[in-house]
Amino acid sequence: MQAPILVTGGTGTLGRHVVPLLRAAGHPVRVLSRRGGAPGDGVTHVTADLLADSDLEPAVRGAATVLHLAGGAKGDDRATANLVRAARRADVTHLVHVSVIGADRVPLAWLRSKHDAERAVADSGLPWTVLRAAQFHDLVLTMLTTMTKLPMVPVPGGLRLQPVDAAEVAARLVDLTLGAPAGLVPDLAGPATHGLDELLAGYLAATGRRRLRLPVRLPGRAGRVYREGANLARPGATRGVRTWDEFLAGRLRSGAGQP
Ligand SMILES: NC(=O)c1ccc[n+]([C@@H]2O[C@H](COP(=O)([O-])OP(=O)(O)OC[C@H]3O[C@@H](n4cnc5c(N)ncnc54)[C@H](OP(=O)(O)O)[C@@H]3O)[C@@H](O)[C@H]2O)c1
């Protein structure tokens, strides 16, 4: 029987794109998450909390390849260290992980934790691949929707983003997962770089609203490195194709992006 590929976080934004692609490539998939999901053709679910469960080995056992997507607002370093421990005991032969562009450069707690998670993978002694991706279009839309709930919107000056389509990140991760372990591969960012002010203005225009915009300066070292572009893809990065404008138009047409 063919070994399943374990996908942690396979029920999330990215995971929902990844799982059907792995199935289409002919692989059985085991999804790990806290809440689980309905089994489908060739897809099984295990429930486990990567942060709390002391023994994750049964969830990993029998999977030669692990694609680690599960992540949250905090604790990704600990969650990844726990997964790595179980993967080592289960003789995993390829551990693939998705991180965030700037994890190694932006001094914010959640990015430090992503960087520590990368290190846990690289130091695992297992063959590994890590892809750093830019913010997904979905996240940028959530961010803009939340920001524009207020009548007056603070806009950090000099903050730029390179939103990328989650489906394109998923396709790249599936190629990497089915390929040979490759270490740290080139970043994957969207096709264009946008100022946050520009994204906000475009979103307000597209949703037919006005908001008072209040320019603010991001404080401290994190503010400085953001203004310097430490969250942007390095030269040599892979760039996605689907633009933010195309994504937003699609969401607004379907009604899903309406405030
Ligand atoms: N969103 C972005 O813009 C972006 C950009 C670059 C990289 N990334 C990285 O891509 C990965 C996936 O992001 P996403 O946007 O798809 O996230 P998401 O939509 O929030 O999904 C997170 C997934 O992880 C699972 N999960 C969370 N905490 C868990 C835990 N402690 N134990 C087990 N499962 C857990 C969730 O299921 P349950 O809640 O049921 O456990 C869900 O399946 C993350 O590592 C993130 O850092 C995201």
Side-chain angles (χ1 to χ4, degrees):
M1 212 174 66
Q2 204 180 356
I5 295 178
L6 178 69
V7 181
T8 75
T11 57
T13 305
L14 185 56
R16 287 195 297 272
H17 291 287
V18 160
V19 172
L21 293 177
L22 289 173
R23 284 299 301 132
H27 296 271
V29 177
R30 185 190 299 160
V31 172
L32 182 153
S33 67
R34 288 167 302 188
R35 285 169 290 179
D41 174 35
V43 180
T44 56
H45 287 263
V46 285
T47 53
D49 185 342
L50 292 174
L51 279 169
D53 284 6
S54 52
D55 185 12
L56 293 165
E57 197 189 334
V60 179
R61 197 177 301 136
T65 302
V66 174
L67 173 53
H68 176 38
L69 310 176
K74 46 184 187 178
D76 283 3
D77 49 351
R78 277 188 298 124
T80 304
N82 290 342
L83 177 68
V84 161
R85 212 170 304 117
R88 279 161 58 173
R89 285 199 296 265
D91 294 328
V92 164
T93 54
H94 191 186
L95 175 58
V96 184
H97 181 45
V98 65
S99 185
V100 181
I101 296 176
D104 55 334
R105 291 174 283 170
V106 178
L108 289 180
W110 74 277
L111 281 166
R112 284 206 180 105
S113 139
K114 293 302 291 184
H115 195 215
D116 288 344
E118 291 181 5
R119 282 210 200 95
V121 170
D123 296 344
S124 63
L126 297 168
W128 60 277
T129 302
V130 168
L131 172 70
R132 292 180 181 146
Q135 275 67 46
F136 307 157
H137 291 320
D138 310 74
L139 180 72
V140 173
L141 181 56
T142 304
M143 214 167 85
L144 294 173
T145 310
T146 308
M147 285 168 81
T148 54
K149 286 204 164 103
L150 302 168
M152 195 166 65
V153 184
V155 189
L159 180 58
R160 288 163 291 159
L161 297 173
Q162 297 172 317
V164 65
D165 206 70
E168 292 175 358
V169 179
R172 174 79 176 125
L173 280 167
V174 166
D175 283 349
L176 292 167
T177 301
L178 301 182
L184 182 64
V185 299
D187 298 343
L188 174 54
T193 305
H194 303 274
L196 181 59
D197 47 354
E198 170 203 341
L199 291 168
L200 181 66
Y203 177 65
L204 285 171
T207 53
R209 291 171 308 149
R210 289 168 188 274
R211 290 288 182 275
L212 199 59
R213 280 175 267 155
L214 181 71
V216 294
R217 188 176 165 82
L218 282 176
R221 199 157 79 84
R224 179 168 55 76
V225 302
Y226 267 117
R227 285 188 292 279
E228 289 168 358
N231 62 316
L232 302 179
R234 286 200 161 92
T238 310
R239 304 303 290 260
V241 173
R242 192 171 186 219
T243 64
W244 160 254
D245 288 343
E246 286 164 352
F247 167 86
L248 179 61
R251 282 301 172 92
L252 294 176
R253 258 197 315 275
S254 72
Q258 293 295 345

